[in-house]
Amino acid sequence: MLKFAVKRCLKRPVGAHGGARGGVRGGVRHVSQLPPRDEVIPKFSFQKHTHTVSAIDSDVASHFGQEVSLSGWIDKKPKKMGKNIVFATLRDFEGNFTQIVSKDPSIVSLIESANVEDCVTVTGVVEQRRARNAEDKDIRWDVNLREYQTLNHSDVLTAQLESLKATPNDFPQQYRYLQLRIPFYQQALKKRSQAATVVRSELAEMGFTEIETPLLFKSTPEGAREFLVPTRRKDQFYALPQSPQQFKQLLMASGVKNYFQIARCFRDEDLRADRQPEFTQVDLEMSFADAADVQRTVERVVKRIWKEVAQKDIYTLDSTGQAELGPFVHLSYDQVLSQYGIDKPDLRSTLKFHNLEGLATAVENAEYPVFEVCVLPGAFEGKAKLPKKLFDDSEYRNRKPIIVPIKTEDDRTKWVEKFQSMVKFHDLGKINELLNLQVGDVIAGSTRSKLSYENPTPLGRFRQLAISEFPDRWRHDGVDFVGAWVEDFPLFNPHELPEAEKVDYPRYDYTKFVSTHHPFTMAKPEDYERLDSAPLSVKGEHYDLVVNGVELGGGSRRVHDSQVQRFILDEILKVPNPDRLFGHLLKALSMGCPPHAGLALGFDRLCAMLIGSSSIRDVVAFPKTQNGTDPVVESPSTISDEVLKEYHIKKV
Ligand code: ASP
C-alpha cells in the first residue's frame, strides 16, 4: 500500500478544536495557538459561486465572454506554461472539471503555490479553451481569472494524492473524506439519496406510513450476534436491533396498515468484503395482506428505482426461460438448486444444469445421491486454455465437480469414463442424445444431497465461476438485470456442526433445528401438520428477491397466531425461556393481531448494484473496515476505568 502523509506544519497549526490539541502525534508536537486574524477571517468572507461547471457545460456558447464565479477544489497540480501563464484544473462541488487560467502575476503566484485539494473560489471570464493537453481533452472552455481566493489550504502532499486518485483501493481509509470528494463517490452518494427518495415517494403513493422504531432494543436472538449497549443500571443491557422485525410486527398489532422505514440495522458478524456491521434496510410490513401483496409492492418500488436512478429495466424470465419484461418469475428453492445449484442464481446467464434423473445415479455416497451435469457450450472457442480458476480446488471447499473438456470426437462419448467412480449410467444413448456434446464444449458433473443443504452445490459453484470467468458468454442478449422471486424454502435447517467438526462440506446435526429465515415465518399451509412430526420437511412462506445473483431482499408471511409462534419457539427451536425473550411479541399476537407479511431490502447492496459496483463500501459514506473499525474517527475506542465503573463494568 502507498504511504500517505499529512504535512505536519508548525507554521499553520490546527485550530483550537482541531487535531491533537497540543498533544504529540506521530512524534510531532502540535501547538494550539490562535492563528493571526488576517490568516483566518478572510476565509469566512468569500465570493459565492454564481455558476456550476455543468451549468456552463450545458450551453458553453452562451457563456463565452461572461463573468462567472465557481467554487471547489484544485484537482491537479497547477502547471506553469511559458513565463507568465499558469493553468490548473478546478473540480467544482458537483465533481465536474474545468480549467482555470491566469496571466495576472499576483494570481499566477497564488496558483503556483497551490496544493492539490486546496479549497478555492474563483471569478473570471469564460473563454474558449486555449492550451490542450491530452489528459483534459474533454474540457472545452476555461475561466480566465480576475480573482482567486483560497478558502482553506490542504495539507495533503500533492504527489501522493495524485497517485492515490488513480488507485482508489489503496486510498488510506482514515482519509475517507478526501476519497469521497472524488466524483465517483459523489455520484454514488447522490444515487443512494435518489434511491431513498424514490422509495419514500413510491411507498407514500401506495399509502405506507414511515415510522421509526427504537435503536435501543433488547437482546433477543434472531440469528446473528448482537451488539450490546451497557447501561448505568447494574446488569442491564440494551441490544442494537438486527432488524426492526419485532417492532414492525408490533406495529401490525398496533393497527398500522402498511409500515415502512429506511432502517439502520446492526449485526456483530464476521465481516466479509460485502458485509458491514451496521447497514441499512428498506423495511416494510403490511397487515391484512399476504406474500403476493408484499411482492407486488416491492416490485413496483424496485423497478421504479432502477428506471429513475439507473435508467435501466429489470428483466425476468418467461416460461420458456427467455428474458422478458413483466412481473418477476417465481422459482422454488428446489427448482433453483437443481437448475442452477444455488438459492440466488444469476439469471443473466442461460447456463442451466441437465437433470439426469432416471438416467444416471450416484453410486458411492448416500449423503450425496443426486447426479447433475452442466455443459459450457463452445467454451474452447477462441481459447487455447480454459481459465485456471474453473479447476481450482480451493474454490470448491473440497467438493470439486469432475470437469471434462471435450477435445476430440471420441471425447463426445468417452467423457463418461471420468465419472465411473461417482455414477452409474443407466442409459448412455439417451444421455448423449440429450447433451449433444460438441468438440470445444466442457462438461462438469457432480453429486449433491437431496435436501440441497449444500448451497451452492459443487456444480452451482462451477456455474458461478464459469459466469465470472466468461462474462460475455451464455447470456441473455441486451439484458443487464434479471430478477426473480425464489420461494418455498425449507422453514428450518438442521443445526450446522461447529467449524472444527467440518470435514469437507458442512456437516449437520439433524435433531436440532434453526430457522432458515427467522422464527416468525409461517409454514406453508399444506405442510402445517408436519411442524409437529417432521419439521425439516416443512416449507416456509418465505420469499427472496434475487437480481443478478444477488439476494436483494427477503421476507415472509408471519405467524400471527400466538400459539403457533409459541410452539415454534418452544418445541422446534427449543429457545430457552421464550417468554423472557419474546414475551412482548407473543402477547401482542394474542390480542387480535391481524395477519401480516413483509420484507426488507438490503439498501446498501441495492445502491451498489445501481452504480455497477460489487462493493457496498462504495455506497456507504463512512464504512467500517474488515475488522469492524472506523479508521476516520478511530472507533471502537477504549473507555477509562472510571467511566466503566458507572456502567458496573470491570475489565477482565
Ligand atoms: N427482518 C428480516 C431480515 O432482516 C426481513 C423480513 O422478514 O422482513 O432479514
Side-chain angles (χ1 to χ4, degrees):
M1 192 203 258
L2 286 150
K3 288 255 163 54
F4 193 82
V6 169
K7 254 193 221 164
R8 308 215 185 258
C9 176
L10 287 176
K11 261 195 275 163
R12 206 187 292 137
V14 288
H17 298 290
R21 283 212 224 152
V24 175
R25 291 184 93 196
V28 178
R29 177 166 287 277
H30 287 252
V31 182
S32 271
Q33 65 185 38
L34 190 65
R37 180 190 167 90
D38 59 356
E39 263 185 33
V40 175
I41 295 304
K43 294 182 183 174
F44 291 85
S45 146
F46 54 90
Q47 170 63 49
K48 303 234 172 90
H49 59 276
T50 57
H51 290 72
T52 58
V53 170
S54 71
I56 300 171
D57 261 339
S58 65
D59 183 7
V60 183
S62 81
H63 288 90
F64 283 134
Q66 207 179 314
E67 183 164 288
V68 298
S69 297
L70 299 170
S71 307
W73 291 268
I74 295 296
D75 189 69
K76 284 207 182 82
K77 200 170 159 50
K79 269 190 194 150
K80 196 160 179 196
M81 314 266 286
K83 237 187 184 170
N84 289 319
I85 184 161
V86 73
F87 296 88
T89 304
L90 176 102
R91 189 184 71 244
D92 78 354
F93 50 78
E94 289 185 339
N96 297 313
F97 305 94
T98 192
Q99 183 170 266
I100 51 176
V101 69
S102 184
K103 280 185 178 166
D104 176 328
S106 59
I107 297 181
V108 168
S109 69
L110 274 177
I111 298 183
E112 259 191 312
S113 61
N115 224 349
V116 166
E117 295 308 318
D118 275 1
C119 179
V120 299
T121 185
V122 300
T123 301
V125 174
V126 177
E127 292 180 347
Q128 194 98 36
R129 192 196 152 123
R130 45 192 83 187
R132 291 210 167 267
N133 55 42
E135 294 161 46
D136 294 335
K137 59 178 178 306
D138 293 340
I139 300 178
R140 288 172 293 154
W141 50 275
D142 58 30
V143 184
N144 191 357
L145 299 190
R146 175 171 68 73
E147 259 181 48
Y148 175 96
Q149 186 186 1
T150 307
L151 301 179
N152 219 353
H153 278 291
S154 169
D155 279 348
V156 173
L157 290 183
T158 310
Q160 286 178 330
L161 188 61
E162 293 264 13
S163 60
L164 286 165
K165 271 186 189 169
T167 55
N169 290 339
D170 289 334
F171 208 100
Q173 296 169 356
Q174 66 268 39
Y175 299 112
R176 177 70 170 175
Y177 41 85
L178 291 181
Q179 189 179 34
L180 289 181
R181 287 182 193 171
I182 297 171
F184 169 81
Y185 291 100
Q186 291 292 311
Q187 277 305 315
L189 295 177
K190 280 222 167 84
K191 296 234 166 193
R192 184 181 175 113
S193 162
Q194 284 167 13
T197 304
V198 173
V199 168
R200 291 202 162 91
S201 133
E202 185 66 28
L203 288 175
E205 275 172 31
M206 287 193 268
F208 278 71
T209 310
E210 183 168 4
I211 302 174
E212 288 157 75
T213 53
L215 287 184
L216 293 178
F217 184 38
K218 150 182 171 174
S219 176
T220 83
E222 234 178 71
R225 190 182 299 136
E226 302 162 314
F227 283 101
L228 293 176
V229 182
T231 72
R232 282 177 291 132
R233 279 194 289 149
K234 198 162 185 217
D235 291 338
Q236 297 292 302
F237 292 82
Y238 295 109
L240 300 179
Q242 301 186 24
S243 82
Q245 182 63 36
Q246 294 175 57
F247 277 114
K248 70 176 170 175
Q249 291 195 243
L250 292 176
L251 284 172
M252 299 298 102
S254 313
V256 173
K257 173 69 182 79
N258 294 331
Y259 138 96
F260 88 98
Q261 175 179 198
I262 301 186
R264 307 310 305 276
C265 307
F266 305 85
R267 294 183 193 171
D268 190 2
E269 292 179 314
D270 293 340
L271 301 176
R272 286 190 240 126
D274 62 344
R275 288 237 182 116
Q276 285 282 305
E278 55 179 310
F279 58 95
T280 306
Q281 285 185 345
V282 177
D283 193 44
L284 57 89
E285 196 75 14
M286 303 169 77
S287 59
F288 302 101
D290 59 17
D293 297 308
V294 173
Q295 291 172 343
R296 234 183 342 264
T297 303
V298 171
E299 279 196 38
R300 265 178 71 167
V301 173
V302 168
K303 286 176 178 172
R304 185 166 151 198
I305 294 176
W306 251 256
K307 196 105 211 145
E308 289 188 14
V309 183
Q311 284 82 47
K312 294 270 181 195
D313 287 311
I314 309 184
Y315 286 74
T316 191
L317 299 184
D318 68 13
S319 54
T320 65
Q322 296 305 307
E324 66 162 13
L325 289 172
F328 291 150
V329 64
H330 293 243
L331 304 170
S332 75
Y333 175 74
D334 284 347
Q335 193 180 354
V336 290
L337 256 301
S338 60
Q339 291 182 341
Y340 310 107
I342 190 166
D343 63 350
K344 34 179 185 290
D346 187 342
L347 298 174
R348 285 172 301 176
S349 166
T350 53
L351 291 176
K352 237 186 201 182
F353 302 164
H354 291 274
N355 183 350
L356 300 184
E357 218 178 320
L359 302 174
T361 34
V363 283
E364 108 242 64
N365 188 344
E367 203 174 343
Y368 304 118
V370 182
F371 176 68
E372 291 156 342
V373 296
C374 177
V375 177
L376 307 183
F380 275 134
E381 268 162 32
K383 292 208 181 256
K385 271 192 187 150
L386 289 169
K388 257 203 196 129
K389 215 167 177 186
L390 225 48
F391 300 89
D392 184 351
D393 281 303
S394 62
E395 299 284 347
Y396 296 97
R397 285 180 79 186
N398 298 332
R399 283 259 293 138
K400 184 177 155 184
I402 293 175
I403 304 167
V404 189
I406 308 297
K407 290 187 174 155
T408 62
E409 276 298 317
D410 278 358
D411 289 345
R412 293 182 60 211
T413 48
K414 280 207 171 133
W415 63 276
V416 289
E417 289 166 12
K418 298 269 193 305
F419 290 88
Q420 300 295 2
S421 61
M422 184 189 266
V423 203
K424 222 187 194 114
F425 292 99
H426 307 300
D427 191 339
L428 267 178
K430 260 218 179 107
I431 292 174
N432 279 326
E433 193 185 310
L434 179 81
L435 300 178
N436 189 24
L437 291 173
Q438 302 297 323
V439 174
D441 293 356
V442 169
I443 182 164
S446 176
T447 53
R448 68 164 168 88
S449 58
K450 259 228 157 87
L451 280 168
S452 312
Y453 290 128
E454 298 169 274
N455 182 12
T457 63
L459 211 53
R461 186 76 195 115
F462 172 81
R463 182 179 182 272
Q464 279 182 315
L465 289 171
I467 291 173
S468 68
E469 294 299 309
F470 294 88
D472 304 323
R473 302 292 306 271
W474 316 299
R475 277 181 71 119
H476 295 286
D477 276 347
V479 169
D480 292 322
F481 295 96
V482 184
W485 290 105
V486 178
E487 42 203 29
D488 298 341
F489 288 81
L491 188 54
F492 305 103
N493 271 320
H495 175 77
E496 193 173 323
L497 292 170
E499 204 73 29
E501 289 172 59
K502 279 180 203 167
V503 187
D504 43 23
Y505 243 75
R507 302 269 174 228
Y508 298 96
D509 175 348
Y510 289 89
T511 63
K512 290 190 190 145
F513 312 118
V514 293
S515 297
T516 307
H517 187 41
H518 54 51
F520 318 114
T521 302
M522 184 54 188
K524 293 224 116 186
E526 57 272 31
D527 294 350
Y528 176 75
E529 258 120 11
R530 288 203 305 277
L531 275 176
D532 207 2
S533 54
L536 280 183
S537 71
V538 175
K539 301 234 156 77
E541 289 223 49
H542 167 197
Y543 33 83
D544 275 354
L545 175 60
V546 175
V547 177
N548 289 7
V550 172
E551 182 193 319
L552 263 197
S556 60
R557 198 171 201 199
R558 323 299 186 187
V559 178
H560 72 283
D561 181 302
S562 67
Q563 299 264 42
V564 177
Q565 185 65 76
R566 183 177 286 283
F567 180 85
I568 290 174
L569 295 170
D570 273 352
E571 300 300 323
I572 301 181
L573 299 174
K574 313 257 189 246
V575 172
N577 205 347
D579 277 304
R580 189 173 62 80
L581 299 174
F582 297 108
H584 50 278
L585 189 63
L586 292 167
K587 255 187 251 152
L589 294 181
S590 73
M591 296 184 189
C593 177
H596 54 284
L599 173 139
L601 290 168
F603 191 57
D604 306 302
R605 168 90 23 240
L606 180 151
C607 293
M609 283 185 87
L610 283 177
I611 65 158
S613 166
S614 58
S615 167
I616 61 173
R617 297 175 52 82
D618 286 344
V619 291
V620 174
F622 296 103
K624 301 275 190 288
T625 61
Q626 288 275 13
N627 46 18
T629 60
D630 179 336
V632 177
V633 301
E634 296 181 9
S635 78
S637 58
T638 54
I639 300 290
S640 73
D641 289 345
E642 240 165 60
V643 173
L644 285 180
K645 214 166 153 191
E646 290 184 45
Y647 291 85
H648 311 277
I649 292 177
K650 253 197 208 146
K651 284 184 192 152
V652 286

